[in-house]
């Protein structure tokens, strides 16, 4: 299986490149942010709890993110070539638990692709996205900045977890979408040919 963790701060382009990876390599897209937003709309117990954190730009509890991913793996494992994990894992606790979830299902993360984008560019992209996304956490510059801060403090360390496993690859995320996606594909094809 080809299991890609697509990593990077809010606004780095994870959603855009996930869509492209999914269609190029015939994978299943799992975005914990999208799944949580659906749960909020459906007013499930987890959605109601997660919303309290998400609206402020904080992370939802690890327990909720892990439960969602476990359920998705059970739903799709065996019926797909692999997954693109978009926005997960976001803490080192999630990363360690994720390894266990994958191992129990006889699979593993193939690689982490980390999209590197400068701070000023992230702010510009998120402000632009805010004009049409309708997301509460895009709606206010202080929440946008808080999400980037939460990324730097709680999520960035996840890179070290995958570096230690020799699965970490950095992608310079500035330039056109086509240019960046080409770099991503070069890495994926190298991994696949091993
Ligand atoms: P972005 O990365 O652009 O901010 P996402 O849709 O990935 O957007 O995430 C939106 C919000 O959903 C996050 O700020 C966080 O509150 C919540 N969230 C998404 N994935 C996770 C996760 N794995 N763990 C905890 N919270 C999450």
């Amino acid at each position: 299986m080809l299991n890609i963790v697509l990593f990077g701060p809010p606004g780095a382009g994870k959603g855009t490149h996930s869509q492209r990876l999914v269609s190029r390599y015939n994978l299943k897209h799992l975005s914990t942010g999208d799944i949580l937003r659906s749960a909020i709309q459906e007013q499930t117990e987890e959605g109601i709890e997660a919303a309290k954190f998400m609206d402020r730009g904080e992370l939802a509890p690890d327990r909720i993110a892990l439960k969602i991913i476990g359920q998705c793996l059970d739903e799709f494992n065996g019926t797909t070539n692999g997954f693109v994990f978009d926005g997960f894992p976001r803490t080192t606790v999630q990363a360690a638990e994720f390894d266990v979830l994958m191992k129990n299902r006889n699979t593993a993360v193939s690689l982490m692709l980390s999209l590197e984008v400068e701070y000023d560019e992230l702010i510009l992209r998120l402000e632009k996205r805010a004009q049409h996304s309708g997301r509460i956490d895009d709606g206010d510059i202080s929440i946008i900045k808080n999400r980037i801060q939460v990324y730097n403090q709680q999520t960035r360390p996840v890179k070290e977890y995958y570096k230690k496993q020799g699965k970490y690859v950095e992608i310079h995320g500035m330039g056109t979408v086509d240019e960046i996606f080409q770099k991503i594909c070069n890495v994926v094809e190298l991994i696949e040919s091993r």
Side-chain angles (χ1 to χ4, degrees):
M1 277 177 91
L2 178 61
N3 294 316
I4 301 172
V5 171
L6 196 57
F7 194 77
K14 300 188 295 290
T16 306
H17 291 294
S18 291
Q19 299 293 352
R20 290 184 167 219
L21 279 167
V22 162
S23 43
R24 168 86 61 111
Y25 299 104
N26 203 13
L27 305 170
K28 174 83 194 149
H29 182 202
L30 292 186
S31 156
T32 39
D34 285 350
I35 299 166
L36 286 169
R37 280 184 287 277
S38 309
I40 292 172
Q41 277 204 325
E42 288 161 21
Q43 291 280 295
T44 66
E45 202 179 309
E46 276 121 28
I48 293 167
E49 191 181 351
K52 294 184 227 154
F53 299 89
M54 288 171 73
D55 291 352
R56 297 197 301 261
E58 308 283 338
L59 295 184
D62 287 334
R63 168 179 46 82
I64 294 183
L66 285 161
K67 186 172 172 195
I68 284 172
I69 286 293
Q71 284 168 345
C72 290
L73 291 177
D74 288 338
E75 189 177 344
F76 301 109
N77 208 11
T79 62
T80 175
N81 288 335
F83 295 94
V84 177
F85 298 94
D86 165 3
F88 179 89
R90 252 177 157 98
T91 63
T92 46
V93 170
Q94 289 179 18
E97 257 330 287
F98 184 35
D99 271 352
V100 177
L101 291 181
M102 295 291 265
K103 204 168 174 201
N104 288 344
R105 290 160 180 84
N106 296 316
T107 187
V109 169
S110 312
L111 83 155
M112 168 190 265
L113 289 168
S114 177
L115 295 169
E116 300 296 319
V117 177
E118 288 149 23
Y119 182 82
D120 291 350
E121 173 71 13
L122 293 177
I123 299 283
L124 281 176
R125 289 187 190 177
L126 288 167
E127 283 185 320
K128 205 164 149 196
R129 185 169 93 186
Q131 292 165 13
H132 54 82
S133 78
R135 279 171 50 171
I136 295 172
D137 60 349
D138 275 347
D140 181 319
I141 188 68
S142 68
I143 302 177
I144 288 177
K145 287 186 173 164
N146 191 36
R147 280 158 57 207
I148 296 175
Q149 199 179 347
V150 166
Y151 169 82
N152 285 328
Q153 287 170 352
Q154 298 180 50
T155 304
R156 191 184 281 279
V158 176
K159 287 183 189 184
E160 304 307 318
Y161 187 88
Y162 289 98
K163 273 185 198 168
K164 281 192 196 130
Q165 295 187 354
K167 292 178 178 175
Y168 175 83
V169 180
E170 205 160 283
I171 305 278
H172 188 57
M174 307 281 281
T176 68
V177 173
D178 284 342
E179 281 164 0
I180 300 162
F181 189 63
Q182 189 53 53
K183 285 191 270 187
I184 290 177
C185 292
N186 293 345
V187 175
V188 171
E189 272 143 46
L190 199 71
I191 299 285
E192 279 202 307
S193 67
R194 275 188 195 160

